[in-house]
């Protein structure tokens, strides 16, 4: 059984989940040209490709072979040498350097709680000072739709994401619900938390902001 978005990942010409999110677009205005970005659970590249086209050094990972293949087709077509995309389970991603921006949009609730707690800890540790984390997750404020339920393993409680970043400067936090429509005219209601958090500056670490 595959999630519905795998079908869209195989199709070129559009992104399965639409255009880049506004909070990502806004954050790019604060990055220097040589900034480094990690996109965790990049899907078919709506953020990774956008950021690479702006000239940032982007590393993008996802468990979907179709999503990564789509990104790499685009990378080759447009000669985006500053974009590295490959198949990787986020839970076992080997952090080897620090980044100025780390994105994880709509991913963590598909992971067991023990894995995303560890991953968020690693993200915070491997973000440069004055660097930023952007995260969006589903919460338990409304039931998970039946066609998504088999894939959701670590749903967040409302406000839990914010608590994990209470030692950072939170520049954006939203708790909200929204509706969308999947294939076969299936309508869903989701509850979500969205967070943009900036790592404090101590003068002891690197920064490209």
């Amino acid at each position: 059984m595959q999630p519905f978005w795998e079908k869209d990942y195989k199709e070129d010409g559009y992104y399965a989940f639409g255009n880049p999110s506004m909070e990502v677009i806004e954050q790019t205005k604060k990055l220097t040209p040589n900034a480094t970005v990690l996109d965790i659970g990049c899907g078919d590249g709506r953020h990774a490709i956008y950021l690479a086209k702006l000239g940032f050094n982007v590393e993008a990972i996802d468990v979907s072979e179709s999503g990564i293949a789509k990104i790499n087709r685009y990378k080759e077509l447009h000669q985006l040498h500053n974009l590295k995309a490959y198949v990787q389970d986020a839970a076992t991603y080997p952090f080897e350097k620090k980044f100025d921006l780390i994105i994880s949009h709509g991913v963590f609730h598909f992971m067991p709680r023990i894995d995303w707690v560890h991953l968020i800890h690693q993200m915070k540790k491997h973000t440069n000072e004055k660097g930023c984390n952007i995260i969006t997750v589903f919460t338990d404020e409304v039931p998970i739709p039946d066609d998504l339920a088999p894939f959701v393993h670590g749903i967040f409680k409302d406000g839990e994401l914010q608590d994990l970043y209470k030692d950072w400067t939170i520049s954006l936090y939203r708790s909200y619900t929204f509706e969308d429509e999947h294939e076969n005219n299936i309508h869903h209601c989701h509850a979500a938390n969205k967070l943009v958090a900036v790592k404090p500056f101590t003068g002891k670490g690197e920064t490209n902001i």
Side-chain angles (χ1 to χ4, degrees):
M1 183 178 180
Q2 288 190 324
F4 66 86
W5 53 82
E6 282 289 336
K7 178 180 177 181
D8 290 326
Y9 285 179
K10 293 180 173 67
E11 301 293 332
D12 293 339
Y14 67 93
Y15 299 119
F17 295 101
N19 295 321
S21 297
M22 285 305 302
E23 68 273 10
V24 174
I25 294 173
E26 287 299 314
Q27 189 60 32
T28 62
K29 301 174 184 178
K30 303 175 184 179
L31 298 175
T32 60
N34 62 336
T36 55
V37 180
L38 174 63
D39 189 353
I40 297 175
C42 60
D44 58 351
R46 68 179 180 128
H47 291 128
I49 291 172
Y50 169 76
L51 290 160
K53 288 173 70 175
L54 290 175
F56 303 118
N57 299 304
V58 180
E59 185 172 344
I61 63 169
D62 200 286
V63 294
S64 172
E65 294 183 0
S66 298
I68 295 299
K70 183 174 179 178
I71 293 172
N72 283 324
R73 287 195 299 273
Y74 194 98
K75 171 186 175 178
E76 183 176 354
L77 179 64
H78 295 275
Q79 296 295 294
L80 296 174
H81 301 297
N82 55 324
L83 171 59
K84 179 182 178 182
Y86 57 96
V87 177
Q88 168 71 52
D89 184 344
T92 58
Y93 174 74
F95 282 89
E96 296 176 347
K97 62 180 181 181
K98 292 185 176 182
F99 297 88
D100 300 306
L101 172 61
I102 302 180
I103 302 168
S104 182
H105 199 286
V107 176
F108 289 157
H109 44 266
F110 296 120
M111 303 170 62
R113 172 176 291 269
I114 190 172
D115 287 340
W116 60 248
V117 168
H118 171 74
L119 186 52
I120 289 177
H121 174 77
Q122 290 298 308
M123 288 170 59
K124 294 175 70 176
K125 180 179 178 181
H126 290 89
T127 300
N128 284 325
E129 292 188 355
K130 297 180 69 176
C132 181
N133 287 182
I134 300 177
I135 304 174
T136 301
V137 296
F138 288 167
T139 71
D140 60 2
E141 290 295 284
V142 300
I144 300 300
D146 290 342
D147 61 335
L148 280 183
F151 308 107
V152 175
H153 304 296
I155 195 70
F156 281 66
K157 299 182 183 301
D158 187 62
E160 188 171 20
L161 180 61
Q162 185 181 30
D163 288 342
L164 289 168
Y165 280 86
K166 61 186 178 182
D167 55 334
W168 285 29
T169 300
I170 297 176
S171 58
L172 172 69
Y173 175 75
R174 289 182 60 207
S175 174
Y176 61 103
T177 60
F178 67 97
E179 295 185 358
D180 62 6
E181 181 178 325
H182 298 168
E183 63 178 10
N184 301 322
N185 296 317
I186 298 176
H187 294 270
H188 287 169
C189 180
H190 301 287
N193 284 176
K194 183 186 296 289
L195 173 138
V196 178
V198 178
K199 189 171 185 175
F201 178 69
T202 65
K204 299 179 182 179
E206 297 179 359
T207 176
N208 283 316
I209 306 300

